[in-house]
Amino acid sequence: MDFVEQLKSSVRIENVIGEYVRLRRSGPSRYMGLCPFHNEKKPSFTVHVVHQFYKCFSCGVSGDVIKFVQEKEGLSFFEALKTLAERYGIPMPKRSQYSDDESRLKAALLEMHEVAQENFRANLQGPAGETARQYLAKRGVAPETIEHFGLGYAERGGRALLRLFEQRNFPAAQMEQSGLVGKRSDGSGYDRFRHRLMFPIHNEAGKIIAFGGRALAAEDEPKYLNSPETPIYKKSHVLYNLNRAKEAIRKEDRVILVEGYMDAIGVTAAGFGAVVASCGTSLTAQQVQTVKRVAGPDHSHRIIVNFDPDAPGMNAAERSINMLLEEGMRVRIMELDGGLDPDEYCKERGAAAYQQRLEDSKGYFYWLADRARKKHDIHTSEGVVAVLQSLLPAVQKIADPLERSAVANDLAAYVGVPAGMVIESFRKAAATRQEKPLERPKIVLRQDERLLLGAMLEDAAARAEIVRELESVEAVTRFASRRIFQTIFALEAAGDRISFENVHARLEEADQNLLAEAVLNQEEQVPIEAVAAALESVRHSDTQQRREQLKARIKESERAGRWEEALRLMGELEGLAQSARGR
Ligand SMILES: [Zn+2]
C-alpha cells in the first residue's frame, strides 16, 4: 500500500475535518456541517466516512482528507501529507517517493528572508539607516515599536543582499524565486528593494514570507513596493500583522481592519492589538476566511473597517464591505475626523480618542444610509426611493433571511420612510434576494441508478451481477450517470480495482459530483432484493422506452403509407410484449 493510502486509512476524515467544522452525524456513514469554504446558514457540507471524502452541495467543493487540509491551510500536496502525518503520529517513509523538492525550496526561501531581515535591521541601526530613522522619528515611531515590528532598511547600493546570498551559496534560480532579487536582461541580478524602509510580512506561524518597502525619496516610485508572489507568499491569503493580532482578535472578539502598514503599527502601538492591514490590495475572500479561522468558531465575526477618510479609501471600503457581508462578517465602519489616517489619529488625538471613535463606529448600513442621504433629498419621494434603491444591493447580501428583513425595517425607519407602498416594495425586494450564481440547476439521479451505483461500489458480488445484467441494456445510455456506469464497466472489464476513489479519479468534474451525490444519498448496505428490484426497474424502463420508440415509428410509417414497414414494426412490438411477459 502506498503511503498516501496508508495515511488516509489511518486518519479518520471526520476527526480531521471536525477540527475545522462542527460536524453532526446525519447517517450511518455521513456527517454534515456548515461549509468552511463558503458562508452558509444551513449545512450542505457532507463528509462520507466510508468513501473518505467531503462535498458541499451548495458551492460544489469536494475532495479527500489531504485536499481538505491543502485548501484550508494553503499547503502543497506534500506539505498537507506531512502535516497530517505529524499531527496523527504516522511515520513518513524516509525516502519518500513524493518529491520533497517543494518543501526544500520553501525552507531555502524562508532562510533567505531571515538573512534579508537580519541585514535590513542592521542597516537601520547603522550609518546607512539615517534617512529611514529620521522618517520613523518624524512619524513618531518609538524604538520599541521598531523592534516589535522588526522594521528595517534596504540599502541604496542595489547588490548588498545579492552578495549575502552568494556568500551563502544560494543558487541563482532560488534567489530569483525569493522575490528579493531581480534579474536584468543581461542576466545579472540586483536587489529588488533599494533605499526603502522595510516592513517584514509574516505568515500566521510568525515566519517572514515577504516584505513591503516604503520609498524614502520623494521621486522613488512606487511609494510602496511589495514582494511579488512566490512559493511562500500568496498575496490573496495574507493579512499584515495577523500573526501578532490573533490572540487579541480572539480575546476582544473583534478585528480592526486598516489599510496600511503604518496604520497597523500605529494602532497597535496605541494599545489596540486586534488590528490587521490589507496593505493596498483589495481584500479577498481568502483573507477574510483566514481571519475567521484564526478567530475560531465561537467568534462573533465583528469587523471594524477603519480606512482612510479620503475618497479612494472610502471606495476601497465599499468594495471590501460587499465581500465581508458575503462572508458573514458583522461590519461596522469607523470614521475619523480631521482628515487623519488611523496612525496619525492615534498619535495626534491619543488612544482614548481612538477608543471613543471605535465605540462610536456605525453599523455598516447606517453608514451607507448616511452617505446616500447626503446625495439625495429625502424630503421628496424620488429622493427616498433613490436612497432605498442604493441600499438594496448591500441588504440583499445578508445571508440570513431574518437578519435581512430586520435590517430592511431598521433602515426604512432610519431613513424616515412613511409607511406605504415604498417601504413595502423595499421590504419585498430585500426579502427575495437573488440566489448566488453558483447554484446550478440540479441533475436528479433516478432512484434505481443511484442504488445500483452505490451497490457496485460497496459489494463486488453485486457489482459482477449488475455489470453482467446492464452492460447491454440500452436504458443505461440514457442515465444522467451513464459515464459513471461506463467507467465502472471498463474498470471491471480490465480487471482493475473498483473503489470510489478509482472511479472518481477517472471522471470529469460534473460526473464526479453525480457520483458523490449517488453515494451520499445511499443507505448503508444495499439489500440484495433492492438490487434485484432496481435491475428489474431498469430493464422495465428499457422495454418501456423501446416500446415508445416502436410506437412512434409505427405511426410515422402509417402516415407515410409504408404499410409493410408498419406491419414489421408491429410484429416487433408484439414480440417485445411477449418477452416481457415471459420474464
Ligand atoms: Zn460550500
Side-chain angles (χ1 to χ4, degrees), residues 234-252:
K234 288 204 173 58
K235 277 183 195 192
S236 58
H237 284 69
V238 178
L239 280 167
Y240 180 65
N241 201 42
L242 184 62
N243 61 311
R244 295 182 205 89
K246 55 188 177 189
E247 280 311 310
I249 292 174
R250 270 184 225 131
K251 223 165 72 198
E252 294 169 23

Side-chain angles (χ1 to χ4, degrees), residues 528-571:
I528 191 79
E529 310 82 63
V531 172
L535 281 172
E536 184 49 42
S537 140
V538 173
R539 267 188 232 108
H540 178 74
S541 83
D542 201 43
T543 318
Q544 193 66 31
Q545 172 79 15
R546 276 160 66 194
R547 202 177 282 150
E548 295 305 321
Q549 284 174 344
L550 278 171
K551 279 187 190 160
R553 283 172 65 197
I554 292 167
K555 270 207 190 109
E556 196 194 330
S557 312
E558 285 174 348
R559 264 202 310 276
R562 297 194 300 264
W563 302 107
E564 231 167 283
E565 185 179 278
L567 274 174
R568 184 173 54 76
L569 292 172
M570 281 160 88

Side-chain angles (χ1 to χ4, degrees), residues 34-40 44-45 55-61:
L34 293 175
C35 177
F37 298 102
H38 85 280
N39 180 46
E40 63 179 9
S44 46
F45 181 81
K55 175 165 180 64
C56 171
F57 282 106
S58 195
C59 74
V61 297

Side-chain angles (χ1 to χ4, degrees), residues 493-507:
D496 282 341
R497 194 164 71 88
I498 293 176
S499 65
F500 175 84
E501 232 185 326
N502 248 348
V503 177
H504 193 262
R506 284 168 172 75
L507 298 171

Side-chain angles (χ1 to χ4, degrees), residues 346-357:
C346 287
K347 299 217 171 77
E348 285 189 21
R349 307 281 173 88
Y354 190 81
Q355 173 72 40
Q356 191 56 51
R357 305 259 44 119

Side-chain angles (χ1 to χ4, degrees), residues 50 65 70 80 105 122 163 214 234 315 389 408 425 460 465 541 574:
V50 176
V65 67
Q70 272 185 270
L105 171 65
R163 295 238 166 74
R214 191 196 191 284
K234 288 204 173 58
N315 291 336
Q389 194 63 46
S425 68
E465 153 130 22
S541 83
E574 181 56 24

